[in-house]
Every structure is written in structure tokens, then in C-alpha cells.
Amino acid sequence: MTILVIAEHDNTTIKSGTFNTIGAAQKIGGDIHVLVAGQGCGAAAEAAAKIAGVSKVLLADAAHLAHQLAENITPVVVELARGYSHVLAPATTFGKNFLPRVAALLDVAQISDIVAVESADTFVRPIYAGNVLATVKSADAIKVITVRTTAFEAAAAGGSAAVEAVAAGADTGTASFIGQELTKSDRPELAAAKIVVSGGRALGSAEQFKAVIEPLADKLSAAVGASRAAVDAGYAPNDYQVGQTGKIVAPQLYVAVGISGAIQHLAGMKDSKVIVAINKDEEAPIFQVADYGLVGDLFSVVPELMSELSK
Amino acid sequence: MKALVAVKRVVDYNVKVRVKADGSDVDIGNVKMSMNPFDEIAVEEAVRLKEAGKVSEIVVVSLGVKQCEETLRTAMAMGADRGILVETEAPLQPLAVAKLLKAVVDKEQPQLVILGKQAIDDDANQTGQMLAALLGWPQGTFASKVVVADSKVDVTREIDGGLETVALKLPAIVTTDLRLNEPRYVKLPNIMAAKKKPLDKTTPADLGVDPAPRLTVLKVAEPAKRSAGVKVASVQELVAKLKNEAKVL
């Protein structure tokens, strides 16, 4: 049994979700190979080779793989996949984008967003916004799987795998990359942060979101998240959204500020180790999952919290 | 240019589903059903493209039980021109849906297919990408902006770190994210008018597709409940508990 993990990377470094995906592969058991597909991504391949438990790194390096477009990365993975029992990718926007294409061309089901491995062919995955956990068994010869990264331990450093070049295929020519606008921030990555401070609709404006949530996040070296209501209202960028259809987070500490706690939001954060809720409505559903609830006006509580943390 | 939109009938997003006592499945016997919210956004986008003169006809497709007709009528009340129901009582998984949709696309020859990025029941997020692969078409998933030109579509996609824009040669697949648009409220006269729009029916057998599931659900269960903790009276108490009790600061 050999597992192929598709690395998410920026051609230089390996993104954190890849380490958790390798962690999931270790739970399945067997040899683990990692594919690094990109352009000028030799450094990323070298980094992948140093992850514990990886026995081989496959490197597909070509101009048409620079932006890892689904149309171009899919044929590379499909070509390799036939030699593997499992193909895994993180359930990030990277993995979700191309892996179903791979599954369809292999004529196998994809098992999305697994949170536990029961055996080599049986996995647990959340459905209905995480309100139900389904245990599913695959009858396909190749198991194609995306991994909920917060549900698995990250693989450690300490490997020394060989890097082997593989065929990079051709440019399909049907899609081209125009550009990216990435949110610039020195804060930790939301999906992997140890502490997350999230703001909701009660912030009232983009200015107040920035003035109240961001300093608290910086004080705690935390990532910033938001509820759907806050994003819809334009208080925070789209990629801050935590929830069923946004990011799934499971930090050591999640601080929900002015968030009522719709089930779709809870789906994205209820596996956090410790949850703090600050809300002036003592009936808000967020208090039903919070370890520590503080009923009060966020505009006075948060500044007070800032000064208490400075003591 | 013809656009095709796929819509799924799902448990309404306000309903909290329960697991059956024997753990075999979720109990959706008597709950409210609605169009998948992401599919509503897909229909709205197609209607806006038609209103802008970019699309000439909108065909809406649903797959599943007879009651999916209601979902198709809703889409037609929003502005779709005609509906196709692929009727089956069999449970459908994303790969089967993608194969059935491919068969419909082969017949209808649309230039653009718009789908929701995921259904809020199985949360799979697969069908659009699978359909694109089976057709050999490019895809713009998780779209927050769609600009159609003569022979291409530019799609701005929501990715983990921000936004990415790709240019796709038509024909192409687009899957919708939350912020693409805000679906319109359907007005009563439009609901009445939608009842007269054409609705064709077909079956998986007619389309030559075997929809047998590849994954077997062994059991379903509710996750361990997180119990409510304590209310603290002050910021001082909160910080003290986070430091000394939870030890996360």
C-alpha cells in the first residue's frame, strides 16, 4: 500500500496543511510519497523530503504548473495515481479545486474532508455543517481523499527522502492565470493559528472591526477571523470567514467577539480547544459552546481586556 | 449563448437535522426542503447574464425525486427558461451526478454551466469539478466575480489567502461562492408564470448512466456535544481563568 500526498506549496515552502495531510496518511499506514508540482519548486521539494515519514518526493517542474491550475495539475496526478492505493490532498481551496477532477478521471468517488481514519477503506467525514458525522466505506481501487487539516496532527520534521523528477505533462491551454490579490498580513495563517480572534456583526462597521478586533489579535499574536454576517456586511475580507463554507479552524484559543453563533459559524470553530465568547446578548447561541462567556458590550470589554492583558 | 444551471433540493439551511435512532441515516422525513443556497446564487448569476445580454437561454437541471420539480419551478420563477428533471429514487453521489449532467450537457451543448460550489447537505464540493473533468472543460471554482466576453470567461475565485483571477476558454464550468451575488426574491406573478414554462423529464437509464453509489454509509452519528462552560463576571476573571485554568495564555 503506497499513498500519494499532493503538496500545497508556494514553489519555495510547503504550506502547513500539507504536514497535517501527511499526518492523515500516516494514520492510514504504508509508504508515503509526496508530489510537488509547480515551477521552480525545487526548494519546496527539498523541504518535503525533510518531513518525517515521507519515503520519496516526486517533482513535476514546468512553466504551465506555476500557478497549479486545476486543468494542468490534474493530468500529472492522474498519470501517477494509478500506481497508488490512496491519493490525498488537504481540504483547502487548493485541494478542493483539483482533486475532484482527478477522482472523476480515475472513475472513483472522492471522499471529502475526512476527520478520522477507521481503516484503509473507511473514513469519517462531517456532513450537514458538521452536525452529523458519517462513516463511509469506499469500494474503489484508488481512494481519493481530501483531509480536514485541523483534525490530524502535523507530521514532524526529520526525513531524508530522495527527490525524483516526474513527467510534468503539457499545458491544456484552456485556462490561464490572470492574477492574485492576497490579503497582506504579518499575522499567523487563520487555518493554522494557535489563537484566533473573530469579530461578528456587532462590530457595526469595517472601521470598528479594524479598530477593535485587530489590536486584540495583535496583542495575542492571533489570526483574525470573522462571521459570515460580518463579511457579508463588508466589515472584513471574504477570506476571513470562519464556518461551514469558509475556513475551518481548531486553535488552542478562539475568541468570538460580537458573534451570535449560527450553526454555520459553529461548524467552523467548535473543535477549538478553548472558546471565549463576548456578547451583550446573554441568550446568544455562542454561549452554549463557549468555555468562558462574558456578557457585556464589546466596545468596553475589549479595551478593558487589552489593558488587563498588558498587566 | 446557452447557459445551463444545476440545482439541488436539500434540507433547508435553517433546519437542524437529526440522526435516526438506529444510526443508519439522517432523518429528513418531514423537514422543510429548499433549493441549495449556492445553487440559488448560480441561477441568479445566469439570470443576470441573460439580463445583460450575454446569455440567450437558461436551462435548469435537477436530479432526484419527483419533488425536485418544485426546485426547478423556483429556478424558473427566478428567470430560467426551461427545466429538465433527471428523475430517480436512487441516492445520488457527486460522481453519478457529474456523469448524468455530462449526458445532459452533451445533448444541450451549453457554453457555460454554473453550479453551486457545494451542497449544504453532503458538503462534498465535488460535482462542478468532476463535470469539468469529464467534459475536458476548464473550471472557475468558488467564484466571486464572473465576466463573460466573446469566447472566454474571467472568473475571480475565493482562495484561502485572498482572491485569484483566471481566464477560461468557453465552454467552461463556474461554481459559485457566497459573495457572487444576492439572489432575488421571487415575486408571485413570476411563480405563476413559471408554472407554464416547459419542464422535460428523463431518467438515468435514458441517459445511459449507471448512478450506483461508490461509497457506502456504514453509520451516521452526532458529534460529541460541546457543553456550555461558565459565565465570568469580569475581564479580570476571564484573563485569570485563561491563564490559570485553561492555561492558553
Side-chain angles (χ1 to χ4, degrees):
Chain A
M1 208 163 63
T2 311
I3 300 168
L4 180 64
V5 172
I6 317 302
E8 181 172 3
H9 63 89
D10 59 6
N11 290 320
T12 310
T13 57
I14 300 290
K15 299 241 173 120
S16 66
T18 306
F19 291 82
N20 306 88
T21 306
I22 294 169
Q26 289 168 338
K27 291 266 185 193
I28 297 170
D31 269 1
I32 300 170
H33 296 178
V34 173
L35 170 68
V36 176
Q39 182 188 25
C41 52
E46 291 301 329
K50 295 193 178 75
I51 301 171
V54 175
S55 61
K56 195 197 282 184
V57 174
L58 307 174
L59 171 62
D61 196 328
H64 66 273
L65 297 175
H67 301 288
Q68 297 159 35
L69 295 174
E71 293 77 2
N72 288 343
I73 198 170
T74 297
V76 179
V77 179
V78 169
E79 189 62 33
L80 293 168
R82 299 184 202 278
Y84 291 90
S85 58
H86 299 73
V87 179
L88 272 58
T92 56
T93 54
F94 164 74
K96 288 174 184 173
N97 187 40
F98 78 91
L99 205 64
R101 283 185 86 108
V102 171
L105 294 179
L106 293 171
D107 194 27
V108 302
Q110 175 178 293
I111 308 151
S112 292
D113 218 11
I114 65 162
V115 295
V117 174
E118 298 279 299
S119 72
D121 64 4
T122 304
F123 308 90
V124 180
R125 58 177 305 265
I127 55 176
Y128 290 96
N131 286 306
V132 178
L133 294 174
T135 304
V136 297
K137 184 180 165 90
S138 166
D140 290 316
I142 306 171
K143 278 75 176 167
V144 172
I145 295 168
T146 63
V147 174
R148 178 169 292 196
T149 56
T150 55
F152 294 92
E153 294 283 330
S160 57
V163 178
E164 185 181 294
V166 295
D171 188 350
T172 58
T174 55
S176 51
F177 175 85
I178 304 284
Q180 275 184 349
E181 287 170 55
L182 300 182
T183 307
K184 286 195 178 55
S185 169
D186 295 331
R187 299 192 187 95
E189 190 191 328
L190 180 54
K194 289 200 166 53
I195 303 179
V196 173
V197 178
S198 274
R201 198 204 314 255
L203 271 303
S205 71
E207 292 70 32
Q208 292 183 134
F209 191 97
K210 215 174 165 51
V212 174
I213 298 298
E214 296 193 0
L216 179 59
D218 292 339
K219 187 99 213 160
L220 294 166
S221 305
V224 178
S227 70
R228 179 179 172 185
V231 175
D232 280 349
Y235 304 166
N238 296 356
D239 59 303
Y240 280 25
Q241 187 183 323
V242 171
Q244 179 187 15
T245 61
K247 296 234 174 38
I248 308 293
V249 302
Q252 294 291 303
L253 173 61
Y254 187 89
V255 185
V257 181
I259 291 177
S260 62
I263 55 171
Q264 289 83 3
H265 184 75
L266 302 184
M269 46 65 81
K270 66 184 164 57
D271 293 326
S272 304
K273 183 163 173 270
V274 174
I275 297 172
V276 169
I278 298 166
N279 202 300
K280 68 178 174 190
D281 173 13
E282 63 178 316
E283 302 297 323
I286 191 78
F287 288 122
Q288 291 164 19
V289 299
D291 298 284
Y292 302 109
L294 182 52
V295 179
D297 180 3
L298 70 93
F299 293 106
S300 55
V301 169
V302 173
E304 213 184 315
L305 181 56
M306 294 278 291
S307 66
E308 186 68 21
L309 289 167
S310 301
K311 281 182 188 168
Chain B
M1 178 171 93
K2 188 194 281 187
L4 190 139
V5 181
V7 296
K8 184 175 185 183
R9 179 176 180 266
V10 298
V11 173
D12 187 83
Y13 76 100
N14 278 316
V15 174
K16 190 173 183 303
V17 296
R18 302 265 168 224
V19 169
K20 286 181 182 170
D22 66 358
S24 61
D25 205 345
V26 291
D27 188 0
I28 57 169
N30 285 307
V31 302
K32 186 185 175 199
M33 304 293 282
S34 301
M35 190 190 302
N36 180 42
F38 289 98
D39 303 348
E40 273 191 301
I41 295 170
V43 174
E44 176 66 32
E45 193 64 16
V47 174
R48 290 187 189 189
L49 287 169
K50 192 179 174 194
E51 288 167 348
K54 303 280 187 188
V55 161
S56 52
E57 187 191 21
I58 302 166
V59 181
V60 62
V61 185
S62 193
L63 308 92
V65 295
K66 188 177 188 311
Q67 290 87 334
C68 295
E69 276 181 30
E70 295 161 21
T71 317
L72 289 170
R73 293 290 174 201
T74 304
M76 288 190 273
M78 288 175 73
D81 296 296
R82 59 188 173 90
I84 299 173
L85 171 61
V86 182
E87 192 171 345
T88 175
E89 295 281 331
L92 296 175
Q93 291 178 353
L95 181 62
V97 174
K99 287 179 178 180
L100 291 164
L101 286 173
K102 178 183 184 292
V104 173
V105 167
D106 287 343
K107 283 188 178 174
E108 292 286 339
Q109 299 284 317
Q111 287 292 294
L112 188 63
V113 179
I114 313 178
L115 309 90
K117 77 165 181 180
Q118 77 189 64
I120 59 164
D121 50 3
D122 63 12
D123 284 332
N125 194 333
Q126 300 175 10
T127 303
Q129 297 90 314
M130 286 183 156
L131 176 61
L134 295 175
L135 289 163
W137 290 8
Q139 67 184 40
T141 54
F142 327 145
S144 65
K145 190 178 172 195
V146 173
V147 180
V148 176
D150 291 341
S151 59
K152 65 157 194 169
V153 55
D154 286 354
V155 179
T156 301
R157 310 177 49 235
E158 297 205 12
I159 59 170
D160 287 333
L163 297 171
E164 175 183 274
T165 304
V166 290
L168 312 174
K169 282 188 185 160
L170 293 175
I173 302 285
V174 169
T175 77
T176 61
D177 215 319
L178 285 174
R179 252 73 58 172
L180 181 58
N181 61 50
E182 210 166 299
R184 65 196 63 196
Y185 286 103
V186 178
K187 298 192 186 80
L188 188 61
N190 295 348
I191 294 173
M192 301 312 288
K195 290 182 179 169
K196 298 195 185 76
K197 290 186 178 178
L199 195 163
D200 290 331
K201 288 189 185 180
T202 182
T203 64
D206 289 343
L207 295 170
V209 173
D210 172 13
R214 302 296 186 82
L215 300 179
T216 312
V217 177
L218 300 182
K219 64 169 183 178
V220 298
E222 285 178 21
K225 284 255 183 312
R226 196 175 176 116
S227 50
V230 295
K231 291 252 170 68
V232 292
S234 68
V235 165
Q236 289 71 23
E237 188 187 347
L238 174 63
V239 172
K241 286 204 183 287
L242 290 176
K243 281 183 175 159
N244 306 324
E245 193 174 270
K247 301 192 190 331
V248 287
L249 287 185

